[in-house]
Amino acid sequence: LMDIQQLTKTYVMGDQMVHALRGVDLQISTGEFVAIMGASGSGKSTMMNIIGCLDRPSSGKYYLQGQDVATLRDDEQAVVRNRMIGFVFQSFNLLRRTTALKNVELPLIYAGIPAADRAMRARVALEQVGLGQRLDHQPSQLSGGQQQRVAVARALVTRPSLILADEPTGNLDSQVSAEVMNLFQTLNRQGLTVVLVTHEDDIAAYARRVVRMRDGMVVSDRLQDQV
Amino acid sequence: LMDIQQLTKTYVMGDQMVHALRGVDLQISTGEFVAIMGASGSGKSTMMNIIGCLDRPSSGKYYLQGQDVATLRDDEQAVVRNRMIGFVFQSFNLLRRTTALKNVELPLIYAGIPAADRAMRARVALEQVGLGQRLDHQPSQLSGGQQQRVAVARALVTRPSLILADEPTGNLDSQVSAEVMNLFQTLNRQGLTVVLVTHEDDIAAYARRVVRMRDGMVVSDRLQDQV
Ligand SMILES: Nc1ncnc2c1ncn2[C@@H]1O[C@H](COP(=O)(O)OP(=O)(O)OP(=O)(O)O)[C@@H](O)[C@H]1O
Ligand SMILES: Nc1ncnc2c1ncn2[C@@H]1O[C@H](COP(=O)(O)OP(=O)(O)OP(=O)(O)O)[C@@H](O)[C@H]1O
Ligand SMILES: [Mg+2]
Ligand SMILES: [Mg+2]
């Protein structure tokens, strides 16, 4: 599904260089459930953004479904992204002046889904994460963990083939975290490829494989029994 | 230090009422280290905002250092807040177009601290959370966990007598979380009162007392041995 070779990402700040990614090699197959772990600042979100076609590397190769992503223009990358990828952002990125329901409908609008179907699918997605009673709340009228769950629902509503989730349970208590992780596991068994960043071992335990990053590189990559 | 009696907070949304707090009773003494836990949406941030003089309850009493906070005007509450409370927000609330250093200097500017002292104190605060190499990065140039640590540094730089931290380690790996919690513990032993919201048992273990909330009420309040 995805083949990453010697990916680097360097930010230039005045006379300083920040090496966010220093040569990452990673292959992920369709249907996998992978947890990405590593210290704060080790490059996890940077890598997720490149995988999700939201950013471009400084050097290296990224093949998605056999296609060299670098050869795609920005608008072509956007099509790939909207068609096959669901992204849960570390800082949620919800629209502030829009209800939870409308936030989750947004990707369906881009996909050309008719209004009645959109509203129903968005409602179901929000019910799946326990927010059936919060459909018409705007983000400022939601708790931190509720905003996070709206971001999860939005990522899943298009039924993507790949979900990239950056710390999707960082603001959730253990019971609600388990509900979200069970949802990911159920969808994974139905064919959804799941790549999630987490700093919690309890959450990583739901994955079949754990990739650890440090200082912009992959330092370990191991299979494990799923919990 | 703080005495909360039958605190309620109700939001009116059209013809619906959301009872975020349903009669909270809580007393916290100077020098305590208290963890607040509970499900997503149970009222933790709402209560923290009222404790931190950032919001007013719908009913009930809140005495801070013997003073009935309801009798203070908004500007008087702001003075109390800036003088004695440091707040780590669940969504950080950093200034976007400002460097990490300047973000942490901000409370010192309000406190009338001279420029040279401010810069030095802000730098020390950022070094204490491992961000000595990120002083001139703006929030968009920082990882999620780095932004969170800037928020922690900003809350501590005025040397407040009370720190209110809402999920201060939600985006931090275990090593950096331990560094932040050790910092809180050290300051607590020096007299800082610490009230922190967390959904992780490992983090709550640093506290001397754990208060659990559910559906807008305190349902348990127990002392424990600190780790
Ligand atoms: N402005 C508002 N209008 C309506 N309802 C609100 C508003 N702000 C918060 N709420 C509701 O009040 C409840 C408590 O919110 P609060 O942010 O205190 O929860 P929390 O315990 O901090 O949750 P989390 O762990 O997810 O951060 C939630 O159900 C939320 O939807
Ligand atoms: N626009 C930028 N300019 C300069 N440096 C940046 C920029 N964006 C990120 N960085 C740096 O790149 C490094 C990697 O950032 P990244 O967000 O990928 O970390 P992360 O592993 O997701 O961390 P966290 O667990 O804290 O979210 C960090 O040290 C960060 O300061
Ligand atoms: Mg990150
Ligand atoms: Mg909260």
Side-chain angles (χ1 to χ4, degrees), chain A residues 103-118:
Chain A
N103 260 287
V104 177
E105 283 193 44
L106 195 61
L108 300 175
I109 294 174
Y110 288 137
I113 306 292
D117 294 345
R118 286 203 307 262

Side-chain angles (χ1 to χ4, degrees), chain A residues 100-172:
Chain A
L101 190 76
K102 288 264 175 276
N103 260 287
V104 177
E105 283 193 44
L106 195 61
L108 300 175
I109 294 174
Y110 288 137
I113 306 292
D117 294 345
R118 286 203 307 262
M120 184 196 65
R121 281 173 65 169
R123 184 167 47 74
V124 167
L126 284 161
E127 285 168 349
Q128 276 184 318
V129 293
L131 292 179
Q133 304 300 317
R134 293 285 181 272
L135 302 181
D136 44 8
H137 285 232
Q138 294 191 351
S140 61
Q141 299 167 322
L142 293 171
S143 77
Q146 291 167 345
Q147 293 174 33
Q148 188 155 40
R149 284 181 275 162
V150 174
V152 171
R154 185 183 59 183
L156 294 176
V157 76
T158 50
R159 294 167 202 148
S161 48
L162 167 65
I163 184 143
L164 302 174
D166 199 344
E167 295 279 2
T169 61
N171 286 285
L172 303 179

Side-chain angles (χ1 to χ4, degrees), chain A residues 13 18 38-41 90 134 136-137 141 143-146 149 167 169-174 176 199-200, chain B residues 13 18 38-41 90 134 136-137 141 143-146 149 167 169-174 176 199-200:
Chain A
M13 296 190 56
V18 177
S40 174
Q90 192 170 6
R134 293 285 181 272
D136 44 8
H137 285 232
Q141 299 167 322
S143 77
Q146 291 167 345
R149 284 181 275 162
E167 295 279 2
T169 61
N171 286 285
L172 303 179
D173 56 282
S174 52
V176 171
H199 67 270
E200 291 184 63
Chain B
M13 296 190 58
V18 176
S40 174
Q90 192 169 4
R134 291 286 181 270
D136 45 9
H137 285 232
Q141 298 168 321
S143 79
Q146 290 167 346
R149 284 181 274 162
E167 296 278 3
T169 61
N171 285 286
L172 302 179
D173 57 283
S174 52
V176 171
H199 67 271
E200 291 184 63

Side-chain angles (χ1 to χ4, degrees), chain B:
Chain B
L1 177 63
M2 66 180 74
D3 189 347
I4 290 162
Q5 300 169 9
Q6 284 299 302
L7 220 61
T8 72
K9 182 76 182 182
T10 304
Y11 295 106
V12 179
M13 296 190 58
D15 55 356
Q16 271 201 326
M17 313 266 275
V18 176
H19 301 282
L21 296 177
R22 298 168 189 263
V24 171
D25 291 312
L26 188 63
Q27 289 179 325
I28 297 179
S29 310
T30 304
E32 286 207 66
F33 194 142
V34 185
I36 314 271
M37 304 188 78
S40 174
S42 56
K44 307 178 296 295
S45 296
T46 303
M47 187 173 73
M48 292 284 273
N49 286 337
I50 291 169
I51 290 173
C53 301
L54 290 159
D55 193 13
R56 291 177 186 271
S58 303
S59 70
K61 287 277 179 218
Y62 173 32
Y63 297 94
L64 181 62
Q65 288 182 331
Q67 191 163 33
D68 183 350
V69 174
T71 63
L72 300 178
R73 293 191 314 265
D74 283 0
D75 58 311
E76 290 171 315
Q77 288 201 11
V79 169
V80 166
R81 203 166 61 232
N82 296 336
R83 191 170 37 82
M84 69 169 285
I85 299 174
F87 209 120
V88 185
F89 294 93
Q90 192 169 4
S91 54
F92 318 155
N93 293 358
L94 302 180
L95 296 183
R96 306 288 309 163
R97 301 181 191 281
T98 312
T99 63
L101 190 76
K102 289 264 174 275
N103 260 288
V104 176
E105 282 193 47
L106 194 61
L108 300 175
I109 294 172
Y110 288 136
I113 307 291
D117 294 345
R118 285 202 308 259
M120 185 194 67
R121 282 174 63 170
R123 186 168 44 77
V124 168
L126 284 161
E127 286 169 347
Q128 276 185 318
V129 293
L131 293 179
Q133 306 298 318
R134 291 286 181 270
L135 304 181
D136 45 9
H137 285 232
Q138 295 191 352
S140 62
Q141 298 168 321
L142 293 171
S143 79
Q146 290 167 346
Q147 293 174 35
Q148 189 156 41
R149 284 181 274 162
V150 174
V152 170
R154 185 184 60 184
L156 295 175
V157 75
T158 50
R159 295 169 201 147
S161 47
L162 167 65
I163 185 144
L164 302 174
D166 199 344
E167 296 278 3
T169 61
N171 285 286
L172 302 179
D173 57 283
S174 52
Q175 178 167 334
V176 171
S177 291
E179 287 167 22
V180 170
M181 294 310 295
N182 283 325
L183 178 58
F184 284 159
Q185 250 185 2
T186 300
L187 293 170
N188 176 245
R189 285 177 199 138
Q190 294 168 7
L192 173 69
T193 307
V194 180
V195 181
L196 73 84
V197 171
T198 182
H199 67 271
E200 291 184 63
D201 294 315
D202 293 352
I203 301 300
Y206 286 87
R208 185 73 175 71
R209 175 178 164 202
V210 179
V211 172
R212 294 183 187 273
M213 294 184 66
R214 190 164 62 222
D215 294 330
M217 286 179 289
V218 171
V219 296
S220 103
D221 187 345
R222 305 176 58 82
L223 293 176
Q224 66 179 11
D225 294 327
Q226 267 176 324
V227 84

